[in-house]
Amino acid sequence: MTHSEFSSLLSSEADGMISSLSISEADTTWTSVSTLAWENAEKSEVSSPFIVCESSGTSGYDRRQKLLELFPFDSSSILAQYPIYNKSDKTCYHLMAPASYARGVDSSSTVIQAMAPVMKIRRGTIENAGIAVSASMKDVKVSVQFGPGIDAKEASPLMLERLQLVDTSLVHAYVEEAYPYSGMELSVDEPSAIFKALTIPDDQISNHSVNFVLPEGVNVRDDCLAVVGAIAAQPEVISVELGLLVH
């Protein structure tokens, strides 16, 4: 799946970052990002997030049935209930599946894209991080959507525990994957404090999504973006964005 094809389905920070690159540079970087996403998924011991598109059939219903045949429940694959794209040319869904199974699907009318962190970060997140910090806003939240079949109420505390254990080298690796187009080198020297201070208020969690709240006093844009990048790297996650809590 090319960047142009992906951006017709979902907005991401790749949309803004790519504008500063030549066509060949953008294509090369996108290919590298996609390849790394597949490699990371294949290393994972759990199901990974994908975008899957089907172009056969004459209706969205027909295409969903085809995808359900390609990704049956007994393959440990779960197709989202609702499509993210459904027009005359194709129908696309979020999918959670083992990479080994997804790689082996043989269908000329089916396109499967492993989701890299940059694909999960919604466009405007980098800008919002700068605004939140410069305005000294409190109650900055990281809004996270989980993949189909994942119970956010069960997955969120486990993911928070993992994030609170990340070390500096891992944070920098997350950042590099999350913002590959920008050449961004975040000055996150001691990330452990901000990760350990992340919270999930009881009223900020639902069945399929959660709002992680950044600690008060976070006044560095890089810290906000490092948290976003680390969350985007988690296999349960399909979407991340930065915003403000409404009281």
Side-chain angles (χ1 to χ4, degrees), residues 32 68 73 91 97 123 143 164 169 171 215 228 233 239 244:
S32 298
L68 289 173
F73 188 76
T91 303
R123 187 169 186 176
S143 299
Q164 291 176 337
S169 62
V171 171
V228 169
S239 178
L244 298 173

Side-chain angles (χ1 to χ4, degrees), residues 55-102:
S55 58
S56 68
T58 58
S59 69
Y61 176 82
D62 290 341
R63 294 167 185 158
R64 178 173 177 82
Q65 297 312 303
K66 170 69 176 295
L67 291 174
L68 289 173
E69 291 175 5
L70 291 174
F71 297 95
F73 188 76
D74 60 10
S75 69
S76 298
S77 304
I78 301 180
L79 192 70
Q81 183 176 2
Y82 300 106
I84 57 174
Y85 181 97
N86 186 26
K87 295 186 178 180
S88 59
D89 59 328
K90 61 189 174 185
T91 303
C92 304
Y93 289 87
H94 281 293
L95 168 76
M96 295 297 295
S100 58
Y101 184 86

Side-chain angles (χ1 to χ4, degrees), residues 168-206:
T168 300
S169 62
L170 188 54
V171 171
H172 284 284
Y174 286 153
V175 166
E176 185 176 349
E177 286 190 38
Y179 311 103
Y181 286 92
S182 63
M184 188 184 299
E185 294 183 1
L186 304 185
S187 56
V188 183
D189 296 323
E190 295 295 336
S192 58
I194 185 171
F195 281 94
K196 288 179 180 178
L198 282 175
T199 60
I200 307 174
D202 292 338
D203 63 347
Q204 295 297 315
I205 186 168
S206 64

Side-chain angles (χ1 to χ4, degrees), residues 38-58:
W38 273 102
E39 290 175 353
N40 287 340
E42 289 171 334
K43 293 176 185 175
S44 177
E45 297 179 355
V46 297
S47 290
S48 298
F50 297 88
I51 299 294
V52 60
C53 296
E54 179 58 46
S55 58
S56 68
T58 58

Side-chain angles (χ1 to χ4, degrees), residues 98-196:
S100 58
Y101 184 86
R103 179 74 85 179
V105 169
D106 183 14
S107 170
S108 60
S109 60
T110 309
V111 175
I112 307 169
Q113 173 67 60
M115 292 195 75
V118 68
M119 301 175 190
K120 303 177 186 180
I121 301 174
R122 301 281 69 84
R123 187 169 186 176
T125 297
I126 293 177
E127 180 181 5
N128 286 344
I131 293 172
V133 169
S134 64
S136 300
M137 294 179 177
K138 296 182 178 180
D139 292 334
V140 178
K141 68 176 181 179
V142 181
S143 299
V144 179
Q145 182 180 352
F146 290 90
I150 296 177
D151 186 336
K153 294 180 180 179
E154 294 182 2
S156 298
L158 297 175
M159 192 168 78
L160 181 59
E161 289 180 13
R162 292 202 307 270
L163 291 171
Q164 291 176 337
L165 295 174
V166 297
D167 59 23
T168 300
S169 62
L170 188 54
V171 171
H172 284 284
Y174 286 153
V175 166
E176 185 176 349
E177 286 190 38
Y179 311 103
Y181 286 92
S182 63
M184 188 184 299
E185 294 183 1
L186 304 185
S187 56
V188 183
D189 296 323
E190 295 295 336
S192 58
I194 185 171
F195 281 94
K196 288 179 180 178

